[in-house]
Amino acid sequence: MAKMTLEELRKLRDQKKSDIQKRDIEGKDTQIIIGMGTCGIAAGAKGVLDTFLSELDARQLANVSVTQTGCMGLCYVEPTVEVISPNMPPVIYGKVDAAVAKKIVDEHVIGNKMVSDHVFDRPSADIIQDGGK
Amino acid sequence: MHATVSDFVSDIVQNSIESGASQIGVSIAEDRDELVVTVSDNGKGMSEEVLQRVSDPFHTEAGKHDNRKVGLGIPFLIQAVEAVGGQFSIETEVGRGTTVLFSFMTNHIDCPPLGSIVMAIVSMLAFDGPYQMIVTRSKEHEHGTSEYEIDRHELLEVLGDFSLSGNLQLLKTYVDSQESALHEQGI
């Protein structure tokens, strides 16, 4: 891979911005927050961040907010990821690896359905049982 | 315990971000048998009393985590560098900032794998906040040393916002190209 200059990066950014404006973006206003405390890092949170970026890019979802935070207090189920989507209850997923991250993008961000096996906090049990619908 | 050297780097840099620093410098220098990391910030620094307890896993800074009684980042790091003959030091002053230096002997049989330096750099650049961060990365080759420098404010000016997935992906592509070129220059 050739070493990219800031000018080349700016051109890529402008191209992407133009692509975004041409499409009605699915997943807009969705927030994905990844726990990046010592516990999260030790459990592989950086790989999870990497997978989210790759999966969102593969599905051309450029407008999803992806941010990092410290420990969410659920060290026993790291890596943890909070997802806040319009018309869905906020949810914290635990034990998230690359495969689960892909499921979260497919089922939660795009399909508006929770990945119930990995829900560890926020929605009450009766909400989880029917997949968050 | 962290699985890779990059994880240790991420963890220590996050301390600087959480300390409220506005200026953070990160140097990751690799020669044939040693990787030396220096993280300097102008955050709130530590008192002598706190400094003496940073290696205690059952101590964490009051107020940082309300219900938690452990702080494992630095104890993990000290244990890991000692296991591979590396070094660890902290210089700090209340109100002035902190400099943490540590190294891993990469040819030691127990040295953890390097891991993804690219994702470590992307992650440390992408935390929320106005902080400036300069990352200097170098690698010694048979015929010299290659290096690159990343300026967070410059990249923010180009990309606009690190919280959007599309921009983060571009940031990753950019850092990846710098890191790939660093390795190719040694071939």
Side-chain angles (χ1 to χ4, degrees), chain A residues 1 21 41 51 54 59 62 86 98 100 108 115 124:
Chain A
M1 185 188 293
Q21 282 163 353
I41 293 169
T51 303
S54 303
R59 287 158 180 74
V100 177
H108 191 134
V115 182
S124 57

Side-chain angles (χ1 to χ4, degrees), chain A residues 9-126:
Chain A
L9 181 64
R10 198 186 301 274
K11 280 181 187 162
L12 261 180
R13 154 78 183 154
D14 291 344
Q15 176 62 45
K16 197 149 209 163
K17 205 172 178 179
S18 150
D19 290 347
I20 290 168
Q21 282 163 353
K22 284 178 196 160
R23 292 194 311 268
D24 183 18
I25 298 298
E26 208 174 357
K28 196 177 175 182
D29 301 325
T30 294
Q31 295 175 58
I32 296 173
I33 304 159
I34 300 168
M36 202 64 78
T38 298
C39 44
I41 293 169
K46 285 209 305 288
V48 170
L49 169 64
D50 196 4
T51 303
F52 272 115
L53 294 183
S54 303
E55 288 302 308
L56 292 167
D57 191 53
R59 287 158 180 74
Q60 297 190 305
L61 297 175
N63 238 12
V64 174
S65 163
V66 179
T67 54
Q68 304 169 90
T69 188
C71 172
M72 296 190 202
L74 298 169
C75 304
Y76 65 106
V77 289
E78 292 289 350
T80 51
V81 175
E82 181 169 8
V83 182
I84 303 169
S85 282
N87 307 316
M88 295 275 283
V91 54
I92 295 181
Y93 289 110
K95 297 185 180 177
V96 179
D97 57 14
V100 177
K102 285 179 189 176
K103 273 182 95 169
I104 291 172
V105 172
D106 281 338
E107 295 179 17
H108 191 134
V109 177
I110 296 175
N112 287 327
K113 188 173 185 293
M114 288 186 195
V115 182
S116 295
D117 294 352
H118 287 268
V119 173
F120 279 90
D121 206 353
R122 288 292 164 86
S124 57
D126 57 330

Side-chain angles (χ1 to χ4, degrees), chain B residues 154-171:
Chain B
E154 253 179 20
L155 287 168
L156 273 172
E157 192 270 319
V158 173
L159 293 173
D161 181 358
F162 287 163
S163 73
L164 289 180
S165 53
N167 293 350
L168 267 179
Q169 179 66 29
L170 287 175
L171 177 64

Side-chain angles (χ1 to χ4, degrees), chain B residues 33-34 80-86 104-113:
Chain B
D33 48 22
E34 190 177 22
V81 298
E82 283 179 351
V84 300
F104 284 87
M105 302 308 293
T106 50
N107 58 0
H108 193 289
I109 194 166
D110 288 328
C111 184

Side-chain angles (χ1 to χ4, degrees), chain A residues 1-6 8-9 12, chain B residues 117-119 121-122 137 147-150 155 169-185:
Chain A
M1 185 188 293
K3 190 170 180 173
M4 189 185 289
T5 64
L6 283 174
E8 288 166 336
L9 181 64
L12 261 180
Chain B
I117 287 280
V118 172
M119 281 313 294
I121 293 174
V122 169
R137 167 84 170 108
E147 66 176 21
Y148 65 85
E149 186 177 281
I150 288 179
L155 287 168
Q169 179 66 29
L170 287 175
L171 177 64
K172 184 181 136 189
T173 305
Y174 178 78
V175 176
D176 198 16
S177 80
Q178 309 298 309
E179 186 68 18
S180 297
L182 185 87
H183 291 277
E184 282 163 11
Q185 283 160 19

